[in-house]
């Protein structure tokens, strides 16, 4: 599972967007970002809102099976 940081404005190649870093809920590592809002007056990037980008190299498998004592 992932949790999102507070959104911030970023100038991207397609214009200004509000983005939030996504972090692993277990370890807190930054694993990607989410497009939260189109900050351009003409809303040219509205189709990007809600999309996420995962940095695959930041992901790692964690064994979630707990052993019994």
């Amino acid at each position: 599972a992932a949790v999102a940081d507070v959104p911030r404005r970023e100038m991207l190649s397609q214009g200004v967007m509000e983005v939030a870093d996504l972090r692993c809920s277990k370890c807190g590592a930054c694993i990607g970002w989410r497009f939260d809002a189109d900050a351009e007056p003409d809303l040219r990037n509205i189709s990007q809102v809600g999309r996420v980008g995962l940095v695959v190299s930041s992901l790692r498998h964690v064994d979630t099976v707990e052993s019994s004592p």
Side-chain angles (χ1 to χ4, degrees):
V3 293
D5 286 352
V6 175
R8 66 184 185 284
R9 284 186 177 230
E10 287 279 335
M11 173 55 94
L12 305 175
S13 60
Q14 68 264 39
V16 181
M17 298 279 294
E18 286 191 20
V19 298
D21 288 335
L22 295 178
R23 298 189 177 277
C24 173
S25 61
K26 296 273 187 189
C27 70
C30 186
I31 58 172
W33 63 92
R34 180 181 67 204
F35 295 106
D36 281 346
D38 183 358
E40 289 292 322
D42 61 1
L43 298 178
R44 65 180 138 187
N45 298 307
I46 196 73
S47 64
Q48 300 299 317
V49 174
R51 290 188 177 190
V52 299
L54 291 177
V55 179
V56 177
S57 62
S58 296
L59 303 177
R60 62 186 172 110
H61 176 74
V62 177
D63 188 0
T64 57
V65 178
E66 295 182 21
S67 59
S68 300

